[in-house]
Amino acid sequence: MSLLDSLYGALRPAKNKKLLTLRADSLTKMRWRTQIVYDEALRLLGGKKDRTVVNVGVVGDFLRKFRDGGFDVMGTDFDEEITGDEAFGGIPVVDGSRTLEAVAKADLAVITGMTVTTDTIDGILACCRENGVKTIVFAETGPNLAGYYVEHGADVYLSERFPFYIFHGTSEIEVCRG
């Protein structure tokens, strides 16, 4: 996967991209990247907060930010440890096998790069297209695939490159819009 990701990024770099950089501690960078996802969501949804957001491949801070922002939010994940509604203060997280069902009912899907690894991203993007669901892909996994996925249905592809937010120092997020 890493080889394909690197080759694709070198041979077909994404267009319409903007690089955001922050040098800070991990907590500040976590809040920063969450705000980037949230701002892109607001832009895609025309500023309307009375919408349903599904986070595919749960990121707890994303769930909480959308809930606190007034969205109807839920998650899907294959990790049995976080399914249910206890792990994130009452925000429901359903098993990943129900992702397409959840996405089909949403206004926005925030999809993590782990869906590249689980080979589910293409089906999720197809479901979004079929149901008019806006999409944001947030990828630590597959950051160089932004151009491909924006060409194939993602409205926004956010690539967080190594070193990730959890490491002290500088982090970069590339914003690629369709």
Side-chain angles (χ1 to χ4, degrees), residues 1 56-57 76-79 96-97 99 111-124 141-142 149:
M1 178 67 215
V56 179
T76 70
D77 205 289
F78 287 115
D79 183 351
S97 64
T99 295
I111 307 162
T112 64
M114 283 305 292
T115 58
V116 173
T117 304
T118 60
D119 198 27
T120 57
I121 190 169
D122 293 321
I124 295 166
T141 304
Y149 282 112

Side-chain angles (χ1 to χ4, degrees), residues 12 22 46 92 94 106 125 127 129 136 175:
R12 298 212 39 208
L22 179 65
V94 299
L125 288 174
C127 180
R129 283 191 305 273
I136 296 173
V175 180

Side-chain angles (χ1 to χ4, degrees), residues 70-96:
F71 289 90
D72 181 23
V73 62
M74 69 175 297
T76 70
D77 205 289
F78 287 115
D79 183 351
E80 295 175 3
E81 296 288 322
I82 63 171
T83 58
D85 57 5
E86 293 87 37
F88 300 99
I91 299 170
V93 177
V94 299
D95 185 77

